[in-house]
Amino acid sequence: MFNWFKILWQLNDEKLIEINGIDYTLYLVFLRYCAIFFAGLTIFNLIFMIPVYVTGSPTATPHLNSTMDHITVLNVSARSGKLAYTYFSSLILVSAGLMITLQKYRLKYDSWKKKRDPRVEFKTDADVAHYSIMVSRLP
C-alpha cells in the first residue's frame, strides 16, 4: 500500500525528473518536504508539547473527567509561564519550520525551472532531449 513512499525516498531528484518530468517531480518533492515538516512537527509535539499539557492543571484541584481532559490546552492556562511557552514555541518554531521548508522548495523550484525553461536557447543535445519524443514504426 505504501510502496510509492519507499520509491519517493529512494529515487534521487534527477532520476525522478527523467521518469516524470519537472512538474510532476516538483509535486513529489513538495510531498517529500511536507512529510519531513509534519514528521518534525510530530516529534516536537511528542517531546515538548504533550508533556507540558499532561503536567498542567487549570485549577489547584483538578476535576478532570476523562483521559483526554489531561491533554488539552486548558491544562496550561493556570500558569502564565507554561501558557506563554506553549504559545510562543508553537507560533515561532512551527512558523520557522514552515518558512524553511517553503524556502528550500522555492529554491529547488527556481533552479529547476531556470535549468529547464523552454524559452532559453538549447546549449547541448541533452537540453534538446528533455523536450523531444521518440517516434518509431512509421510506415
Side-chain angles (χ1 to χ4, degrees):
M1 184 168 149
F2 291 103
N3 289 340
W4 65 270
F5 200 70
K6 283 194 305 189
I7 292 171
L8 181 63
W9 287 98
Q10 291 173 350
L11 290 176
N12 64 6
D13 295 338
E14 294 302 319
K15 188 68 173 169
L16 281 173
I17 288 174
E18 289 177 20
I19 295 170
N20 300 319
I22 290 178
D23 291 332
Y24 296 119
T25 301
L26 280 170
Y27 177 67
L28 292 174
V29 168
F30 175 75
L31 290 179
R32 184 186 301 158
Y33 283 155
C34 286
I36 292 169
F37 171 73
F38 286 119
L41 186 63
T42 301
I43 291 168
F44 170 74
N45 283 330
L46 288 174
I47 293 174
F48 296 106
M49 299 308 280
I50 289 180
V52 169
Y53 292 151
V54 170
T55 59
S57 64
T59 60
T61 56
H63 300 290
L64 302 173
N65 298 329
S66 70
T67 306
M68 281 306 291
D69 289 338
H70 289 285
I71 308 176
T72 64
V73 176
L74 292 176
N75 284 342
V76 297
S77 62
R79 293 186 179 170
S80 61
K82 277 190 177 183
L83 186 62
Y85 166 76
T86 57
Y87 178 73
F88 286 114
S89 65
S90 297
L91 183 72
I92 292 170
L93 292 176
V94 171
S95 298
L98 182 63
M99 295 306 289
I100 290 168
T101 303
L102 289 174
Q103 180 65 22
K104 286 177 68 173
Y105 175 75
R106 183 66 186 180
L107 290 174
K108 188 168 284 216
Y109 172 83
D110 287 341
S111 70
W112 284 358
K113 284 297 187 178
K114 204 177 290 181
K115 190 178 356 177
R116 310 270 194 224
D117 191 0
R119 294 172 290 186
V120 176
E121 290 186 31
F122 296 129
K123 295 182 176 106
T124 65
D125 291 338
D127 292 339
V128 176
H130 286 290
Y131 299 100
S132 61
I133 60 172
M134 183 176 149
V135 179
S136 60
R137 298 187 185 180
L138 289 175

